[in-house]
Amino acid sequence: MGVDLRQVVAGILTITMFVMLGQMIKRDHFDSVEEKLPGLSDDARFDDSKLEGKSLVSLSKRNKGPWKEESQELKQCWSRPTSDLVEDSKGFVTFSLTNGPEYHVSQIAAAVVVAKYLGATLVLPDIRGSKPGDRRSFGEIYDVDKFVRSLDGIVRVAKETPSGISARNLAVVKVPNTVTEEYIVDHVEPKFKSKGNIRLATYFSSVNMKKPSQKSELDSTSCLAMFGTLELQPEVNEVVDSMVERLRTLSRKSDGQFLAVDLRVDMLENKNCQGTKSCFGTQEVSEFLQKIGIDKDTTIYLTQSRWDSSLNALKKFFPKTYTKEGIMPVDKKSKFLDSEGSEYEKVIDYYICSQSDIFVPAISGLFYANVAGNRIASGKTQILVPANIEGSSASAANYISTYVSKKNHLAYSCFC
C-alpha cells in the first residue's frame, strides 16, 4: 500500500500543535500562580541576588526597567590619621550645624580638619534649623558616642561648651567647606593664637563636590570626618529603617527595589530654580522616568513631605508614588513629621535617598552632591540625572551622574 505524503505531513503538524498547546497551558498555569502569589517568586529571586558569581552590572532577568545590581562597595584608600595629641589642649573650636544633613557633612569635615591642625579641642556642635529658635542638641539626631569614638586619638571632643567660653573670648572665623592647610595658616591660625578659642562659620563657595586636583596631608582627616563620624541616633535610625522596609515591601514586583526622587514643591517654586535648567518639575520627571524604561508598577519615594496636587501628574503614571506621610509609622508622625521644625524631615530624606536602589535628583545642589557621595561609598551608583529626552525612549545609561561616570566626586578621593 502506498503512503500518502500529505497525510504524513498533516500527522506531524497535528502532533507538533498538541505539544505547543501543552507548553502554552503549562506556562499559563505558572504565570497565573505568580500573579496570584506575587511574593513567592519575588522573594525567591530576591534571595538569589545574594549568590556569588553574578555580574555586578547585570540587569534583573524579570524586572522591567534599568535596575542594576549594586556595584562592589569600594574600599577606603586613606589611612587613619596619625595621633599627635598633646596632653593639654591648646584651645577650643566651636561651631553649629545648619541647613540640613547635606550641609552637616561638610561643616563637620571643616571643623575636624581645623581642630586637628591647630591641636584644639572640638566642642560638640548644636543643630540649628532655618527658623528662628529652631535649635536641637547634636544627640537628638546623631549618635554622640559614635562621633566621639570615631575621633578618638585624632581630635579631642568636649560634649559640653566649657564654662569659660563666651562670645567675648571667641574669635569668629569664616572657613570654606573645602578648607585647605594654606587657608588655615593664613586666616585661622593667627586668630586662634590671638584669642585662644574660635567659632567657625562655614561658607559654601560652590555646591559641587568634585574631588580636588591635588592631594593634601589633611585628606585622611577630611575623609574620616565626612564618611566615618556621623551616624543617626537609634530612634531616628529606626524610623528611617522602618520607612525603607515599608518601601521595599511595597516593591515586591521589583524584587524589593525602589526609586527615590528629590522633588520638593517649595524648591520648584523658587525663582532661582525656575530660571535655570537645574530643576525638573513633576511632569518632566514623569516623562523622563517613562522614557528610560521605569515600569509603571515601580515604587517611588518623593522628598516632598506631604502630598500636593502638583504631584498628580507623576502618580497618574506611577500609582505607587509616596511621600513621608504615606509610609511613616503612625506613632512616629507627631514627632518626626508634624513638629514645627523640618530638621527631622530633611534627615529622613537624606538617608532614604542614600539607600534607595535608584536615586533621581530633580533638583541640583548640595543635597544631590552629598547623597551621591554616600551612595558612591556604599556601591549604590545608580544615580540618574533627569533631562528632556527627544523621542520616545532612551537608555538609562546615558543619564548616569557624571559624579559616577567620570569618577570626579570627592568620594573617589576617599574610596577606590
Side-chain angles (χ1 to χ4, degrees):
M1 179 187 295
V3 177
D4 190 334
L5 184 59
R6 289 176 297 179
Q7 290 181 334
V8 173
V9 172
I12 294 174
L13 289 174
T14 301
I15 293 171
T16 303
M17 288 176 65
F18 274 112
V19 171
M20 290 176 65
L21 180 60
Q23 297 257 354
M24 290 172 65
I25 294 172
K26 181 179 180 181
R27 187 166 61 245
D28 285 345
H29 170 70
F30 280 102
D31 285 347
S32 65
V33 171
E34 280 195 23
E35 186 174 351
K36 292 177 183 177
L37 300 171
L40 183 62
S41 59
D42 288 349
D43 291 344
R45 191 169 286 103
F46 192 77
D47 289 339
D48 287 345
S49 68
K50 299 176 182 177
L51 297 176
E52 295 181 358
K54 293 184 71 177
S55 169
L56 292 174
V57 295
S58 62
L59 296 178
S60 167
K61 292 181 180 179
R62 182 175 182 271
N63 294 341
K64 297 178 180 180
W67 301 105
K68 187 178 75 171
E69 301 289 343
E70 289 182 17
S71 303
Q72 187 171 7
E73 190 169 338
L74 301 177
K75 298 179 180 179
Q76 68 177 51
C77 47
W78 48 274
S79 301
R80 185 173 174 82
T82 55
S83 176
D84 53 3
L85 289 177
V86 295
E87 189 171 332
D88 297 321
S89 173
K90 296 178 182 179
F92 294 91
V93 172
T94 70
F95 68 112
S96 293
L97 299 179
T98 60
N99 300 320
E102 67 270 33
Y103 288 84
H104 297 173
V105 174
S106 298
Q107 290 163 343
I108 287 286
V112 170
V113 166
V114 169
K116 171 79 163 61
Y117 185 88
L118 297 176
T121 296
L122 189 67
V123 178
L124 199 68
D126 61 355
I127 300 175
R128 302 186 181 188
S130 55
K131 299 178 181 179
D134 185 5
R135 183 180 299 188
R136 305 177 189 276
S137 69
F138 184 87
E140 288 184 70
I141 290 180
Y142 298 111
D143 189 322
V144 174
D145 292 335
K146 159 66 179 178
F147 182 77
V148 175
R149 285 197 311 271
S150 68
L151 295 174
D152 184 39
I154 310 299
V155 174
R156 286 187 186 82
V157 178
K159 294 184 179 180
E160 303 289 342
T161 303
S163 57
I165 300 294
S166 66
R168 289 177 296 178
N169 58 6
L170 273 176
V172 178
V173 184
K174 289 185 177 181
V175 295
N177 62 305
T178 52
V179 64
T180 62
E181 181 176 348
E182 182 182 4
Y183 189 93
I184 295 172
V185 171
D186 292 342
H187 302 281
V188 182
E189 193 171 28
K191 292 185 178 181
F192 180 72
K193 288 182 176 180
S194 173
K195 282 279 192 178
N197 305 299
I198 58 174
R199 179 169 181 80
L200 298 182
T202 307
Y203 68 89
F204 291 77
S205 55
S206 172
V207 294
N208 79 59
M209 293 297 290
K210 292 183 179 179
K211 64 181 180 181
S213 56
Q214 296 181 337
K215 293 186 176 182
S216 163
E217 292 183 1
L218 300 177
D219 287 349
S220 60
T221 302
S222 180
C223 287
L224 169 65
M226 290 191 73
F227 297 105
T229 61
L230 290 180
E231 284 186 5
L232 296 178
Q233 57 99 327
E235 186 184 10
V236 182
N237 193 58
E238 181 185 342
V239 172
V240 172
D241 284 350
S242 67
M243 292 173 69
V244 169
E245 182 63 28
R246 174 64 175 154
L247 289 164
R248 296 205 182 284
T249 301
L250 292 165
S251 308
R252 297 177 73 183
K253 288 188 177 180
S254 56
D255 292 350
Q257 297 171 308
F258 73 95
L259 184 151
V261 182
D262 179 27
L263 193 157
R264 290 161 281 164
V265 175
D266 60 329
M267 289 292 291
L268 293 174
E269 293 174 349
N270 187 290
K271 291 182 179 179
N272 292 333
C273 202
Q274 293 177 347
T276 65
K277 294 289 185 179
S278 60
C279 304
F280 290 84
T282 307
Q283 183 64 42
E284 293 170 308
V285 170
S286 178
E287 291 176 1
F288 171 73
L289 295 178
Q290 292 175 53
K291 289 182 179 181
I292 62 171
I294 299 296
D295 188 72
K296 65 181 179 64
D297 286 326
T298 299
T299 299
I300 297 177
Y301 173 79
L302 301 179
T303 53
Q304 173 72 18
S305 290
R306 295 169 181 79
W307 196 259
D308 186 89
S309 60
S310 64
L311 304 175
N312 291 343
L314 184 61
K315 197 175 184 70
K316 181 179 180 181
F317 190 85
F318 299 100
K320 295 167 69 174
T321 298
Y322 302 93
T323 60
K324 280 181 281 299
E325 67 176 346
I327 59 169
M328 183 179 288
V330 175
D331 61 330
K332 300 295 183 181
K333 287 184 178 181
S334 61
K335 179 173 181 178
F336 295 99
L337 187 60
D338 299 330
S339 58
E340 292 183 5
S342 61
E343 206 64 31
Y344 284 129
E345 296 174 27
K346 294 177 183 177
V347 168
I348 289 168
D349 288 335
Y350 186 79
Y351 283 89
I352 290 181
C353 288
S354 295
Q355 294 182 46
S356 64
D357 298 280
I358 295 177
F359 173 52
V360 177
I363 304 165
S364 68
L366 205 59
F367 185 93
Y368 156 45
N370 275 330
V371 166
N374 273 358
R375 296 180 64 91
I376 290 167
S378 61
K380 292 181 177 293
T381 55
Q382 277 282 72
I383 306 169
L384 305 178
V385 179
N388 292 317
I389 301 173
E390 295 183 5
S392 60
S393 64
S395 170
N398 296 335
Y399 302 95
I400 291 287
S401 167
T402 55
Y403 280 138
V404 174
S405 61
K406 296 183 178 180
K407 293 189 174 182
N408 63 5
H409 194 282
L410 180 62
Y412 286 110
S413 299
C414 302
F415 297 92
C416 50

